[in-house]
Structure formats: C-alpha cells, structure tokens
C-alpha cells in the first residue's frame, strides 16, 4: 500500500456559471485521516463526488486506490454522504446486509460483521426496526456502519458527527481511529474545526472551490502562530518587558509579544516581578477556526447563502 | 454489468414490494373472486336432493312418467289439490301443465324455490316421457344428453368441442392479452415511484458508490418484473382453478385444448415488452421531480399499454389488416395485438419474429437511455432534469 489512496490533480468542475471546484490538487495517504474543510458550498461535496465518480469533472485527473475508479475499486471504498439517506421502510438489518453484499461480501460474512458492528454502536437491539423508526442519531450510526462494514481501504465521511450526541460522537470517533490504524485512508469532510484539530494529521481548506490551505495541520498552525501567551497570576501588572500589548482576559492576561521576543523571556520577566506569582503560563495556539477566518475572511457558518448548484 | 449486484437489487426491490398491503390486495382479490365464481355451481350442485313433485296435467293427454332418482311424482286432479299438498308438506313443489301445452304453452313450476340443475334435467326427461310413454329407454337417454358437436378449424388443423372448449380457445388469448395490458398499468405505476423513492430517500448516493446506474435500474426493473410474475402466477392459478371447477362441473375430463402456440408467442413478446415498459416507467421516475409528477406521467405511458384494447374491434375484424400489422411491429403494442390477431387468424411468422427483434432492440436502447438519465439525475434531489441536461446525458461518452 505504498501508493497514495487518492491522488487528485488540477480538478475543476462548474455547474452553469458557478465554478464549484477550481484547479484543486490533493493527495491522501493510507493510514491517515485527512480533513477536507470549508463552509457549506465551498466545493467539498462536489470534490468528493468527483473522486467517487458520481459526477464527472470538467478537467483534471483522479486516481483512487491506485488507478481510475472501477467496479473493483468501488468495493474497497466506504462512503458516508452528507445527504443522509437509507430506505426508510427497510429494516436496519436488511439494509446492512443489502449494502454489504453490494460491496462484495457473502451473506454469511455480511451477517457476521453486521452483528459485530451493530453491537459496537449499540444498535443490535434495534436491528429489526425499520429505518423510519430510527432517531436521527441512530440513523447516523447505522449509515456509518454501512460505510464501514466491508472494512474498506478508503473511507470518505462527509460531516460524520452532525446530529450526534457526545457519547455517540465518541463511539464513531473510535471506529474512525480503528479504520485508520488498520491502514485505511480516511477523508473527513466537515466544517466542525474542533473535530479536525483533534483527529486529522493533514488538511485542505477549501473556499469557493479553491484550495486555500493544504498540508500538515501542525505546520499550518505554526505558520499562523501569533506569538501570544496567556497568563494567570496572583498580583497586578501594568507592563512586562518584551510584551507589545497587554490585555485582561478571563481573569488573566493575554500578552502579544514584541517581534523577536521568545515566550520564555517573558516568563522569566514575570517570575522576577515583585509581588507576582505565576499560576499558569501558556502559549496561545491559533485555532483552526481563527485560521479559517483569517484565510476565508468570514466566520464559519452553516452556509445556506450559497447557490444550490454550488452545494451539490 | 455485474449480474450479482443486479440480482441483489432485484431481490431487495421484490421483497419490499411483495409485502406491501396494496400488492397483497391487488394480487389476491381477483383470484379469490374468480374461484368464488367457479365454486358457485359446484356448491349448488352439491345441494341437489330428491324432489317430491306434484303433477297436474290439464291437457288430459299426457301419461304419468316413471319416477327418477331425483324426482318422485305424485299426480293431482287439479291445482287446488296440489297446492293443499304443498301446504301440508306432502310435496316440495308442483308442476301445472296447462291445457295448451301441446300447442306450445309453458308449464308452471310452483315451489318455495326453483329446481336445481339436476332436478331441471330430470323434469325435462319426465315431460318427454309423458309425451311418448312407449318409446324405448335409450331414446330418452339420448334425448337428455346435450349434443356436443366438434368444430374443425380447417386453416389451423384443430378440432374443438362445442361449448366451453370452443369458448376457451377464442376467449383465453385475448383475455390474457387484456389482462397483461392491465398488468402493465401496475408495473408503470410502481416503477416511477420506485425510482423516485431512491431519490427522495437519498439512498442513491450510497448505492451508486457500489454499483453502476444500469445495474440499479436493471435490478429495479427485474425486481418489479418478478413482482408482476408473482401476480401473474397467482392470477393464472386462480383462473386455472376456476376454469377447472367449471370444466369438471360440465362433466368434462382432461384439460381443455388451448392455442398453446399463440400463447407461447404472446409470452415471448410479452417478456421484452414488459421490460420496455419497466424501462419507460423508470425513465419517467427519473424525469419527474416527485412521486405525484411520476404518477401523472405514468398515467400517460400506461395509456400506451392499454391502447390495443381500444382497437380490439378493428383488430379482431381485420386481423391481418394494415392497422393490426403496424401495431404488431410497434414495440409497446406488440404482444397484446399479436395475441388478438392470432385468435382470429394465422399471423405470418415473419411478422412475429420482426416484432420480437424490434422489441429486444428497443429494450436494450431503453435501458441504456434510462441508465444515462439516471446517472445525470441521481443527485438532483427534489429537482428535475432540464432539457439541456437530458441532452447532455444522452450524448455523453
């Protein structure tokens, strides 16, 4: 599995006058969770659908699991689409068996795995219920199981945690980690930045169909680092050597360091101040959301302001 | 095409539909009614008993016929006496033979209920015996037996017995054709919503990452075909039981002679024709935005299925006329029109083979077109394909 799970080069797609994806290139490796970020309508889902051969690109090359999409490749892919949907009047159990067999599993193997997964996500007792009787969270878990049941080499999950409570979010996360640990490539498309920060090694931030950021999450954060520290202390301070701007925040202080000043210089200065006792000293990491806002220029919203075709 | 995937879709579609209440009602109501109708004479025949009949001969010229197993006769001098006996339950009914009987007047049967079939037959025999009391026994026996004559159709080399067999020979093929036309209604009405359902329930996106559009569409058509086949088998069994009951009740044995050759051609043409309507139904489902639209457009397509029924008079009157031949070669009409024509005349075999070839080519093209449209429309949730999108889908490489 040395080759990339996904290799996309110069991908473009337009819907009428709307350019949904523009010259987008990315590589996803096996054994990693890759975050595809962007507000709704940014072009994430269109990119995913092109990767999955659900829609054809106007331009660009796509290689999935070592080549162009084929029927054999499809059997090695798991997909949780943003548009959730299963056959409402079908039993959950029958749904899983049907979808697993379409992915090439034998009936016996499908049954064995369906039982294991349903027990893991706590849906075993609800297996004979029709999908329409499931709550949103249950349906979400069921659909995730459908995407994972055949233990694919590539899993694409579009907004996997929307509608899940914290406990179920944890259950799904563990399954995602397990797939990654078993060598699968996981592409997670979301606009929930905190989930990406927690789970992804590499990301691509897309806005209006264009890749705005692409690379290792740590490197990106470093690049957007603001050289700021947060301090909680006993005592009062009005100025600190090396600190350009000092402001009170949440019972402590937020300090913007002067160019060339290292955080440890400020810590040393604080410790040496009379009548001051440092209780907490922390370098502020720029959050992904802040980076996103800086890059895209607006806050992450649910994005109903985009044209319908662009969201496709 | 992956046949395993196609089959999985077909079985899944079939299982979902076959359990629906609507299907169960539609499937079992007709055979239950048919068998019920077939059972009526049988049940009535079982109730046949001996009748004690009063005999009032107002002609004065008839002899009292001998008793029969179903009929015990008691003579009365007048109607009042016979009525008294009926009141006293000494007889079950009485027959008044008017003075003008020999000139054609009808006898009157007085009773709380009419004579059943076997009693009627015994009564007819009794009236004949009363006219000719000295005639030999064999003559009465022959007179009571219905004459069944044989019809030899010289142009087909078949010999049919008058009555039910002759009726079945001419009625079964067109009846099956008409029944088939109505079954197409069911198919078209199911197919569109089945495709719309894929879109509405948003399952399409998942399913299409596992199989090709043609496998999904083909599987849906096959699944619904199996559904209709189930319906046809149940209806066929119901009809066979009903005909069998009637056949045996008529005192016939064996099975009636039917135009098996015509029926085989009808079946050969019906299979691709059915698939073609399935593809048309699927296409409508794709082009329609929602179930209501799908139902409305399905109605228009269904009209094509039953159109031959409107022309039944013309086709039967001129089975090898221009209209009949043309309609045979039009794929949507072929099986029903061919069945109607073959009932009335010998249809040139080349026309049947041509119809069959055209049908299979149409099916292949139909499924291909539908699969392309399906792919284009698959992710348009709640939207319809625009004409330009339809064109692009059809000409895309």
């Amino acid at each position: 599995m040395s080759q990339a799970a996904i290799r996309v080069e110069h991908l473009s797609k337009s819907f009428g006058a709307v350019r949904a994806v523009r010259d987008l290139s990315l590589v996803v490796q096996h054994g990693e969770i890759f975050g595809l970020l962007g507000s709704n309508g940014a072009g994430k889902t269109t990119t995913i659908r092109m990767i999955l051969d659900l829609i054809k690109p106007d331009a660009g090359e796509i290689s999935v699991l070592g080549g162009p999409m084929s029927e054999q490749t499809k059997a090695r892919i798991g997909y949780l689409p943003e548009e959730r949907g299963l056959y409402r009047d079908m039993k959950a159990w029958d749904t899983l068996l049907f979808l697993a067999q379409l992915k090439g599993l034998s009936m016996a193997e499908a049954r064995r795995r369906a039982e294991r997964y349903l027990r893991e996500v706590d849906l075993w007792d609800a297996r004979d219920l029709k999908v329409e009787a499931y709550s949103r969270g249950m349906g979400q878990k069921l659909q995730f199981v459908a995407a994972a049941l055949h233990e694919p080499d590539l899993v694409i999950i579009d907004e996997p945690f929307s509608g899940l409570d914290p406990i179920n979010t944890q259950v799904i996360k563990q399954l995602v980690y397990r797939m990654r640990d078993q060598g699968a490539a996981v592409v997670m498309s979301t606009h929930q930045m905190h989930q990406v920060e927690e789970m992804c090694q590499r990301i691509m931030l897309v806005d209006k169909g264009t890749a705005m950021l692409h690379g290792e999450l740590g490197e990106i954060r470093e690049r957007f680092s603001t050289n700021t520290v947060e301090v909680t202390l006993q005592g009062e301070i009005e100025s600190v050597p090396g600190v350009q701007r000092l402001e009170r925040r949440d019972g402590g202080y937020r300090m913007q360091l002067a160019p060339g000043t290292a955080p440890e210089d400020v810590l040393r200065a604080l410790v040496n101040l009379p009548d001051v006792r440092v209780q907490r000293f922390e370098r502020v990491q720029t959050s992904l959301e802040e980076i996103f806002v800086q890059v895209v220029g607006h806050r992450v919203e649910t994005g109903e302001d985009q044209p319908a075709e662009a969201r496709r | 095409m992956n046949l395993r995937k196609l089959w999985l879709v077909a079985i899944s579609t079939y299982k979902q539909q076959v359990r629906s209440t609507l299907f169960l009602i539609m499937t079992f109501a007709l055979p239950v009614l048919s068998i019920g109708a077939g059972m009526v004479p049988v049940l009535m025949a079982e109730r046949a008993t001996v009748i004690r009949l009063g005999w009032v001969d107002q002609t004065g010229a008839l002899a009292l016929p001998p008793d029969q197993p179903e009929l015990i006769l008691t003579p009365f001098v007048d109607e009042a006496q016979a009525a008294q006996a009926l009141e006293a339950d000494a007889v079950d009914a009485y027959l008044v033979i008017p003075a003008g009987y020999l000139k054609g007047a009808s006898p009157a049967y007085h009773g709380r209920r009419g004579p059943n079939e076997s009693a009627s037959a015994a009564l007819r025999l009794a009236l004949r015996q009363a006219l000719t009391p000295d005639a030999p026994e064999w003559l009465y026996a022959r007179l009571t037996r219905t004459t069944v004559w044989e019809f030899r159709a010289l142009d087909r080399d078949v010999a049919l017995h008058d009555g039910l067999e002759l009726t079945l020979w001419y009625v079964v093929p067109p009846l099956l054709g008409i029944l088939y036309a109505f079954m197409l209604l069911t198919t078209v009405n199911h197919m569109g919503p089945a495709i719309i359902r894929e879109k509405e329930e948003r399952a399409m996106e998942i399913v299409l990452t596992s199989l090709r559009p043609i496998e999904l569409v083909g599987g849906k058509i096959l699944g619904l075909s199996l559904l209709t086949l189930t319906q046809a088998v149940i209806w066929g069994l119901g009809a066979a039981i009903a005909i069998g009951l009637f056949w045996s009740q008529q005192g016939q044995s064996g099975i009636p002679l039917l135009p098996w050759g015509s029926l085989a051609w009808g079946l050969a043409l019906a299979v691709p024709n059915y698939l073609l309507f399935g593809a048309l139904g699927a296409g409508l489902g794709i082009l329609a935005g929602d179930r209501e639209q799908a139902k409305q457009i399905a109605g228009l397509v269904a009209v094509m299925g039953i159109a031959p029924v409107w022309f039944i008079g013309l086709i039967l009157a001129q089975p090898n006329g221009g209209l009949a031949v043309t309609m045979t070669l039009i794929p949507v009409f072929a099986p029903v029109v061919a069945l109607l024509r073959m009932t009335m005349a010998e249809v040139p075999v080349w026309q049947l083979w041509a119809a069959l070839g055209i049908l299979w080519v149409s099916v292949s093209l139909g499924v291909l077109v539908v699969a392309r449209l399906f792919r284009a429309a698959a992710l348009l949730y709640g939207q319809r394909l625009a004409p330009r999108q339809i064109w692009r889908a059809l000409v895309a490489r």
Side-chain angles (χ1 to χ4, degrees):
Chain A
M1 286 201 193
S2 57
Q3 63 199 165
I6 299 175
R7 186 177 295 279
V8 167
E9 290 173 1
H10 308 296
L11 200 62
S12 293
K13 179 75 186 176
S14 296
F15 296 106
V18 180
R19 293 190 69 185
V21 176
R22 306 172 193 218
D23 195 29
L24 193 137
S25 298
L26 63 88
V27 173
V28 180
Q29 301 291 349
H30 289 279
E32 75 164 330
I33 302 174
F34 183 88
L36 192 55
L37 314 184
S39 50
N40 285 2
K44 306 185 303 280
T45 302
T46 303
T47 303
I48 288 171
R49 286 175 174 173
M50 284 191 283
I51 291 171
L52 290 169
D53 198 32
L54 290 172
I55 51 178
K56 299 285 182 194
D58 296 336
E61 295 291 323
I62 301 170
S63 167
V64 179
L65 298 173
M69 181 66 79
S70 67
E71 293 311 298
Q72 288 72 30
T73 310
K74 280 183 180 176
R76 295 167 59 200
I77 297 174
Y79 179 40
L80 175 72
E82 184 188 13
E83 296 282 358
R84 304 284 189 263
L86 289 170
Y87 301 113
R88 292 175 54 76
D89 57 353
M90 212 167 168
K91 288 179 184 175
W93 179 249
D94 293 338
T95 302
L96 288 183
L97 297 187
F98 172 60
L99 294 174
Q101 287 182 91
L102 284 183
K103 289 291 186 188
L105 294 190
S106 67
M107 177 62 111
E109 186 61 18
R111 282 172 179 276
R112 195 181 63 75
R113 289 196 199 177
E115 178 176 348
R116 177 158 61 84
Y117 274 92
L118 285 177
R119 286 189 190 282
E120 272 186 78
V121 299
D122 200 24
L123 287 178
W124 176 246
D125 292 336
R127 66 188 180 281
D128 285 330
L129 291 180
K130 286 186 176 176
V131 172
E132 64 192 357
Y134 271 37
S135 68
R136 188 173 170 209
M138 290 164 83
Q140 177 101 331
K141 286 196 290 182
L142 182 69
Q143 204 155 339
F144 185 88
V145 169
L149 199 61
H150 56 294
E151 295 177 355
D153 296 323
L154 168 62
V155 192
I156 299 178
I157 44 180
D158 204 345
E159 299 294 353
F161 307 112
S162 67
L164 286 183
D165 59 47
I167 293 171
N168 283 318
T169 297
Q170 227 26 59
V171 170
I172 297 299
K173 268 185 195 170
Q174 291 314 311
L175 289 174
V176 173
Y177 287 140
R178 190 171 75 195
M179 286 192 284
R180 178 201 60 190
D181 295 343
Q182 288 171 345
V186 181
V187 176
M188 189 167 82
S189 167
T190 184
H191 58 258
Q192 294 182 323
M193 303 298 167
H194 64 285
Q195 302 289 5
V196 176
E197 284 180 313
E198 183 187 334
M199 298 178 72
C200 297
Q201 290 81 55
R202 292 191 313 120
I203 63 161
M204 173 177 273
L205 197 156
V206 186
D207 186 54
K208 293 176 182 159
T210 306
M212 307 296 286
L213 287 173
H214 182 199
E216 294 281 342
L217 183 58
E219 285 175 16
I220 289 172
R221 293 174 79 161
E222 189 61 40
R223 211 188 317 157
F224 283 83
S225 166
T226 54
N227 209 18
T228 303
V229 293
E230 280 186 355
V231 182
T232 309
L233 45 76
Q234 277 185 350
E236 290 291 325
I237 52 171
E238 287 180 0
S239 67
V240 182
V243 172
Q244 200 173 41
R245 205 171 87 200
L246 180 71
E247 60 182 75
R248 279 191 168 274
R249 182 181 283 196
D250 300 333
Y253 293 91
R254 190 178 178 103
M255 302 173 183
Q256 173 77 53
L257 309 192
T261 305
E264 51 269 32
D265 298 335
V266 175
L267 178 61
R268 206 173 296 123
L270 283 170
V271 170
N272 290 332
L273 283 174
D275 303 326
V276 169
R277 196 169 159 201
V278 177
Q279 292 173 318
R280 184 176 71 92
F281 183 92
E282 190 179 348
R283 187 177 180 188
V284 175
Q285 288 266 18
T286 311
S287 74
L288 205 47
E289 187 160 338
E290 286 167 327
I291 294 171
F292 186 93
V293 172
Q294 277 187 47
V295 171
V296 175
H298 59 77
R299 284 215 160 264
V300 180
E301 292 170 347
T302 48
E304 294 302 323
D305 54 342
Q306 296 290 325
E309 278 206 317
R311 285 202 300 275
R312 286 195 289 118
Chain B
M1 194 190 299
N2 186 322
L3 292 179
R4 179 176 179 266
K5 289 180 181 177
L6 187 140
W7 182 246
L8 283 169
V9 174
I11 290 298
S12 169
T13 305
Y14 176 79
K15 278 184 182 170
Q16 275 176 285
Q17 298 281 346
V18 83
R19 295 171 187 157
S20 74
T21 314
L22 182 68
F23 176 79
L24 293 174
I25 291 171
M26 282 182 69
T27 304
F28 288 103
L30 191 66
V32 165
L33 285 174
S34 306
I35 294 173
M39 287 293 285
V40 169
V42 177
L43 292 173
M44 285 183 72
E46 279 178 0
R47 284 205 295 272
T49 50
V50 178
I51 291 183
R52 297 168 300 159
L53 186 73
W55 179 270
V56 182
D57 176 15
Q58 293 175 344
T59 67
L62 299 176
L64 181 68
D67 289 344
Q68 296 175 55
E70 302 88 357
L71 202 63
I72 298 166
L73 296 172
T74 308
F76 292 100
V77 290
D78 55 33
E79 193 175 339
Q81 234 180 48
Q84 233 171 18
L86 180 66
E87 193 66 31
D89 202 27
V91 293
D92 301 312
Y94 63 89
L95 186 77
V96 178
I97 304 161
Y101 173 69
L102 297 176
K103 289 181 179 169
S106 299
Y109 185 93
H110 299 253
R112 290 182 184 87
R113 65 177 68 142
N116 59 30
E117 198 156 331
S118 59
S120 295
L123 202 51
R124 279 194 295 273
L125 175 63
L127 284 166
R128 284 170 183 149
Q129 287 176 324
L131 285 168
T132 54
D134 301 326
E137 197 65 31
W138 62 264
L139 182 60
Y140 296 129
R142 186 65 193 89
L143 283 171
T144 50
R145 270 217 317 271
T146 313
T147 300
V148 177
W149 48 275
E150 196 177 82
F151 166 68
R152 288 181 183 274
L154 297 177
D155 62 338
R156 315 243 190 121
D157 195 25
V158 290
L160 300 167
H161 290 103
D162 179 32
L164 186 59
E165 191 169 57
L166 190 65
T167 308
L168 289 176
W169 175 276
Y170 281 103
V171 166
V172 166
L175 201 63
L176 284 177
I178 293 166
L179 205 61
Y180 169 74
F182 282 98
M183 282 167 75
L184 287 177
L185 286 178
T186 313
T187 304
V188 175
N189 284 326
H190 271 92
M191 196 67 214
I195 294 288
I196 284 281
R197 183 170 151 259
E198 291 281 333
K199 282 172 71 176
E200 283 183 349
E201 299 191 347
R202 312 274 164 112
M204 194 99 82
E205 206 164 340
I206 301 172
V207 175
L208 285 183
T209 56
S210 302
L211 41 66
R212 293 187 181 100
I214 200 165
E215 288 158 355
L216 182 58
V217 173
K220 288 273 165 204
I221 294 173
L222 183 61
L224 288 176
S225 304
L226 290 174
L227 192 74
T228 311
L229 187 66
T230 306
Q231 199 173 49
V233 167
I234 292 169
W235 285 4
L237 279 175
I241 292 171
I243 290 171
L245 285 168
F246 195 61
W247 186 251
S248 62
Q249 206 271 329
Q250 295 284 306
Q252 308 278 2
S253 59
I255 56 168
L257 188 63
L258 288 171
W260 298 114
S262 303
L263 295 179
W265 265 114
L267 182 66
L269 293 168
V271 170
N273 176 264
Y274 183 84
L275 295 176
L276 182 64
F277 271 93
L280 282 171
L284 293 175
I286 293 163
L287 295 177
D290 54 42
R291 287 186 204 219
E292 281 310 307
Q293 277 182 357
K295 278 183 190 167
Q296 286 165 8
I297 313 175
L300 293 175
V301 173
V303 163
M304 286 197 291
I306 56 168
V309 179
W310 302 338
F311 295 99
I312 196 164
L314 278 172
I315 295 166
L316 292 177
Q318 290 184 298
N320 281 325
L323 176 76
V325 173
T326 308
M327 286 183 83
T328 308
L329 298 176
I330 297 174
V332 287
F333 304 140
V336 179
V337 175
L339 267 177
L340 292 173
R341 291 178 63 198
M342 284 186 287
T343 303
M344 301 307 291
E346 198 73 8
V347 175
V349 179
W350 72 263
Q351 290 178 12
L352 298 172
W353 280 110
L356 193 62
I358 293 170
L359 260 170
W360 277 112
V361 170
S362 308
V363 171
S364 309
L365 285 174
V367 173
L368 198 70
V369 165
V370 167
R372 282 180 169 234
L373 291 177
F374 188 83
R375 184 187 176 103
L379 306 176
L380 291 177
Y381 298 122
Q383 298 174 53
R384 273 196 296 176
L385 274 177
R388 202 175 58 181
Q389 291 171 307
I390 294 173
W391 176 248
R392 274 212 305 262
L394 294 180
V395 298
R397 290 194 172 186

